[in-house]
């Protein structure tokens, strides 16, 4: 990805998509954590905050986060507060960020009693000093690590320390091609080792070119799991000239995964996991994107049912953990298969928890009712 030289640069469509996901996630994140008894101060941190604004006065991620927090600060309990930690290494951008944050807080008299905003002119690794404070282990910590595609500036140690926090979560911008280009340069490769926490990723050089991308994303997801995030998922952004960025998310809570998947499907209602830059030829039309494409899920669910009966709960869990889809998509597919008389359900069409689904042993073609409908 080309790195802008100017302190403030033009907002690209993929960044807008990234912001939409972040906003959607943070709205639910704060709503869920705020007001819950026993939840100590929360921290939202950015290691690569940027100037807080794009050309044309469009907000950057720190300002978007502040907008969500200011709108929802009333939800925080009387004894609860939210720390916002913004780190940026470029002095010009820090200066602009300070202006943007001050402008956002101005209508509240320059500060908000529930928010502690700290801006640091430093390298993203400064996050570690906040994270290693033993006394704060219990505090939920969301880290947005949005470098220029890194993740070579995001050492495994940072991810590991976030994972040690009670509600630790990371959202990392990841550009895979950035890494495989440098795997043969020992000095750069060592930076990669520090990011993955092992050398396994170096095997990318033995992968065929069409598998390198997926290999590295999988390797990074595995390394986040090793760091302590039980659930991981990623979102792909296809940019002009076919370059690709991924947002990789790690959380210790199943609910975090649910909320992030919901945010991803909001941005990509068609496939759930990919954003196509509209300037990239061959993009999906907007009409198509409006409807979820469940054809792949249908195929994998049919494969699972071929192996034997399975509960709706297992199918929902499978969709959430192993695919880009959400739990509700698994139910939608199963209900459609039932309507098509391809399967039976002990819980009828409702498919309540505990319903067991099974392939029909009789020939669906001979039964009355609608024949197989068109694919999703
Ligand atoms: C992709 S931009 C961030 C954009 C911002 N998150 C947003 O969406 O509005 C990356 C930023 O990270 C900063 N940066 C690059 N390397 C850094 C490092 N090692 N530590 C801290 N900041 C860094 C750059 O100056 C740039 O402002």
């Amino acid at each position: 990805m080309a790195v802008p030289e100017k302190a403030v640069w033009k907002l690209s469509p993929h960044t807008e998509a990234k912001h939409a996901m972040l906003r959607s996630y943070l709205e639910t994140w704060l709503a869920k954590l705020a007001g819950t008894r026993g939840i100590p101060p929360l921290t939202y941190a950015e290691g690569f905050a940027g100037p807080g604004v794009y050309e044309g006065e469009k907000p950057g991620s720190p300002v978007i986060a502040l907008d969500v927090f200011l709108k929802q600060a009333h939800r925080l309990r009387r004894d609860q507060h939210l720390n916002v930690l913004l780190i940026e290494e470029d002095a010009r951008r820090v200066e602009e960020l300070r202006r943007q944050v001050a402008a956002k807080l101005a209508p509240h008299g320059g500060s908000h009693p529930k928010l502690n905003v700290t801006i640091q002119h430093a390298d993203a690794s400064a996050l570690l000093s906040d994270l290693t404070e033993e006394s704060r282990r219990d505090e939920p910590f969301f880290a947005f690590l949005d470098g220029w595609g890194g993740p070579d500036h995001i050492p495994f140690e940072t991810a590991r320390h976030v994972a040690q926090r009670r509600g630790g979560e990371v959202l990392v911008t990841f550009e895979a091609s950035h890494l495989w280009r440098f795997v043969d340069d020992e000095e750069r490769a060592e930076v990669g080792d520090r990011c993955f926490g092992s050398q396994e990723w170096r095997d990318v050089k033995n992968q065929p070119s069409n598998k390198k991308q997926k290999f590295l994303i999988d390797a990074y997801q595995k390394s986040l799991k090793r760091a302590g995030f039980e659930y991981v998922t990623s979102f792909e952004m296809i940019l002009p000239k076919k370059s690709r960025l991924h947002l990789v998310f790690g959380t210790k809570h199943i609910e975090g995964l649910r909320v992030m998947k919901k945010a991803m499907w909001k941005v990509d209602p068609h496939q759930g996991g990919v954003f196509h830059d509209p300037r990239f030829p061959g993009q999906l039309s907007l009409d198509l994107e409006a409807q979820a494409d469940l054809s792949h899920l249908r195929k994998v669910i049919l494969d699972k049912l071929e192996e034997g009966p399975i509960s709706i709960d297992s199918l929902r869990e499978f969709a959430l953990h192993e695919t880009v889809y959400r739990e509700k998509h698994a139910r939608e597919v199963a209900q459609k298969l039932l309507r098509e008389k391809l399967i039976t359900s002990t819980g009828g069409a409702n498919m309540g928890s505990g319903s067991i689904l099974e392939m029909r042993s009789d020939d669906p073609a001979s039964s009355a009712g609608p024949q197989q409908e068109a694919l999703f």
Side-chain angles (χ1 to χ4, degrees), residues 104-245:
K104 196 74 200 160
L105 292 172
H108 304 268
S111 65
H112 189 287
K114 294 280 183 197
L115 303 185
N116 296 335
V117 185
T118 310
I119 298 173
Q120 271 187 44
H121 177 202
D123 182 85
S125 57
L127 265 183
L128 270 179
S129 59
D130 194 280
L131 283 165
T132 45
E133 266 186 55
E134 200 65 32
S135 60
R136 299 182 56 192
R137 276 276 172 91
D138 242 14
E139 299 178 11
F141 195 103
F142 182 100
F144 182 33
L145 303 172
D146 182 31
W148 294 126
D152 52 357
H153 289 295
I154 302 156
F156 180 74
E157 269 314 280
T158 307
R160 205 172 63 79
H161 277 98
V162 177
Q164 283 175 3
R165 282 292 184 94
R166 182 184 182 188
E169 297 185 321
V170 282
L171 182 61
V172 180
T173 304
F174 186 105
E175 186 184 3
S177 61
H178 181 76
L179 281 154
W180 81 66
R181 268 190 257 127
F182 297 114
V183 66
D184 286 325
D185 171 342
E186 187 53 30
E187 212 174 300
R188 301 293 294 259
E190 280 171 16
V191 180
D193 298 346
R194 282 201 290 283
C195 147
F196 285 85
S198 84
Q199 293 196 342
E200 278 168 37
W201 73 277
R202 293 192 187 204
D203 199 33
V204 67
K205 59 181 162 204
N206 301 318
Q207 305 298 317
S209 15
N210 62 346
K211 300 248 165 74
K212 286 186 192 299
Q213 179 99 6
K214 179 162 177 353
F215 177 86
L216 281 176
I217 298 299
D218 288 350
Y220 193 58
Q221 291 202 0
K222 270 191 217 147
S223 98
L224 286 186
K225 283 200 166 182
R226 258 200 330 276
F229 298 102
E230 208 168 322
Y231 308 102
V232 292
T233 189
S234 68
F235 186 88
E236 185 176 24
M237 295 180 291
I238 304 176
L239 280 48
K241 297 190 191 150
K242 294 196 183 176
S243 67
R244 282 154 201 260
L245 278 181

Side-chain angles (χ1 to χ4, degrees), residues 27-49:
E27 280 168 356
T28 313
W29 180 76
L30 192 67
K32 281 190 185 283
L33 289 176
T36 308
R37 274 182 191 282
I39 297 281
L42 322 172
T43 299
Y44 169 81
E46 292 206 22
F48 304 81

Side-chain angles (χ1 to χ4, degrees), residues 215-326:
F215 177 86
L216 281 176
I217 298 299
D218 288 350
Y220 193 58
Q221 291 202 0
K222 270 191 217 147
S223 98
L224 286 186
K225 283 200 166 182
R226 258 200 330 276
F229 298 102
E230 208 168 322
Y231 308 102
V232 292
T233 189
S234 68
F235 186 88
E236 185 176 24
M237 295 180 291
I238 304 176
L239 280 48
K241 297 190 191 150
K242 294 196 183 176
S243 67
R244 282 154 201 260
L245 278 181
H246 286 79
L247 285 172
V248 186
F249 175 65
T251 177
K252 291 158 73 175
H253 299 279
I254 188 75
E255 195 52 24
L257 181 64
R258 284 196 183 104
V259 176
M260 186 50 85
K261 285 261 186 108
K262 190 173 168 200
M264 284 163 49
W265 278 91
K266 224 172 170 176
V267 174
D268 174 14
H270 182 58
Q271 291 174 289
V274 191
F275 171 79
H276 295 254
D277 190 303
R279 296 166 297 181
F280 176 58
Q283 54 147 340
L284 294 163
S285 83
L286 284 177
D287 281 354
L288 247 181
E289 282 181 35
Q291 211 183 0
D293 175 0
L294 303 181
S295 53
H296 178 67
L297 184 61
R298 176 187 169 102
K299 184 183 171 315
V300 289
I301 284 182
L302 280 170
D303 287 349
K304 282 216 156 284
L305 283 158
E306 287 290 352
E307 290 166 14
I310 186 166
S311 71
I312 185 68
D313 312 270
S314 305
L315 278 188
R316 282 162 52 87
E317 212 172 288
F318 166 77
L320 180 66
H321 291 239
E322 308 292 333
T323 74
V324 74
Y325 297 96
R326 297 175 62 196

Side-chain angles (χ1 to χ4, degrees), residues 1 7 9 15 18-19 46-54 59-62 87-90 93 122-125 144 146-149 153:
M1 186 177 106
W9 61 97
T15 304
K18 179 165 72 180
H19 288 166
E46 292 206 22
F48 304 81
V53 69
Y54 286 82
S61 54
I87 298 176
E88 167 59 51
E89 72 163 12
D90 181 313
R93 292 178 184 146
D123 182 85
S125 57
F144 182 33
D146 182 31
W148 294 126
H153 289 295

Side-chain angles (χ1 to χ4, degrees), residues 84-110:
V84 179
L85 173 58
L86 305 171
I87 298 176
E88 167 59 51
E89 72 163 12
D90 181 313
R92 300 164 307 160
R93 292 178 184 146
V94 172
E95 202 180 311
E96 184 59 50
L97 181 59
R98 289 193 198 285
R99 263 198 297 276
Q100 295 297 327
V101 168
K104 196 74 200 160
L105 292 172
H108 304 268

